[in-house]
Amino acid sequence: MGSGMSRRGVLMGAGAVALSAAVPVRVAAAGLVPEAAAAPPGALSANGWRMERTVGGGGPVEGTGITVALRAGDVETVLVHVVRRFHYEIAELGEGQVVGHLAPGRVPLARAGLPQPPESNHTSGTAVAIRPDWYPKGGRGGFFPLEMLTLRDVLAECEGVVRWGGDDRERPYEALFSLDVPPGDARLARVAARIRGGDAVRPGAGPVDVPAPGRRAAALRLERRQRAASG
């Protein structure tokens, strides 16, 4: 236990130092506006969903004691499922450790004509940052091997509908889990229906055999595909 915490502490310390030194440069280079600024009407987040000042979904997350604001409907169903599996299978979560929707003025956005950063997905209510203090922007290696097996299994269960920020090559953000399909995509409705219908892992109902060959094969296929898509 002591060695585990030591490794985490080193990772967090190094990530924080690197982040404080690198972020101002990256923000300028990427054309981001770090100060609060309202997005233009109809603006879209990085994944193609409309930015919103408020969202109607989310609330208390069953079995966790935390609350999170999200876009209502299928988006909420899928992202809450991700949060619950994280809580039961990777690390217990406390209040304030999950960030969902944020108004456009609270997220650094790209200037007009430039692609939005992945964090912009918070503004459309289609992303969660889980324990962002543990997994700072720009850092890598924040998860232990068994935790990574579980994380990949969660993504595979979502059939590619959710993307992990740790797979971004240029600017990883291991806390970030974003919807990776546009509005109206049939895959989102299908995955949400599976979760609501009980045809998915039931968080808290017992251990999940994430190393099982079939589950691992599906996770590895999705990992290769999503990493390749990061450029």
Side-chain angles (χ1 to χ4, degrees):
M1 175 121 179
S3 61
M5 291 304 295
S6 174
R7 176 177 178 271
R8 279 279 175 81
V10 169
L11 287 170
M12 290 176 65
V17 171
L19 189 66
S20 64
V23 164
V25 176
R26 287 178 177 172
V27 165
L32 301 184
V33 182
E35 66 274 9
L44 304 179
S45 59
N47 57 9
W49 291 73
R50 184 187 178 98
M51 297 182 187
E52 306 286 357
R53 292 188 178 276
T54 60
V55 290
V61 177
E62 182 184 354
T64 68
I66 64 174
T67 58
V68 60
L70 294 166
R71 182 178 289 267
D74 291 342
V75 174
E76 176 185 1
T77 297
V78 172
L79 291 179
V80 164
H81 183 73
V82 171
V83 171
R84 294 191 69 217
R85 283 202 61 184
F86 192 107
H87 173 80
Y88 282 106
E89 300 174 52
I90 297 178
E92 185 174 340
L93 300 172
E95 188 62 49
Q97 290 189 318
V98 180
V99 180
H101 173 262
L102 294 171
R106 297 182 60 193
V107 179
L109 300 176
R111 294 188 176 93
L114 294 176
Q116 292 294 347
E119 299 96 305
S120 69
N121 296 327
H122 281 296
T123 66
S124 58
T126 60
V128 289
I130 302 178
R131 300 210 299 181
D133 291 340
W134 283 71
Y135 316 114
K137 298 173 188 177
R140 292 189 187 277
F143 290 90
F144 293 116
L146 183 56
E147 292 174 336
M148 279 303 309
L149 283 178
T150 303
L151 188 153
R152 293 293 180 189
D153 187 80
V154 174
L155 296 173
E157 185 183 34
C158 293
E159 300 180 20
V161 164
V162 176
R163 179 176 181 80
W164 178 50
D167 281 334
D168 291 338
R169 295 183 183 180
E170 293 187 2
R171 192 166 178 261
Y173 185 16
E174 294 190 336
L176 189 67
F177 296 82
S178 298
L179 212 67
D180 199 32
V181 292
D185 193 295
R187 290 171 293 176
L188 173 60
R190 182 175 68 242
V191 172
R194 284 182 51 239
I195 294 169
R196 284 192 291 262
D199 188 24
V201 169
R202 297 185 179 184
V208 180
D209 187 12
V210 296
R215 300 188 75 95
R216 283 297 298 138
L220 288 170
R221 284 194 301 271
L222 179 63
E223 178 182 355
R224 286 192 292 266
R225 189 169 80 242
Q226 291 190 323
R227 281 188 168 182
S230 70

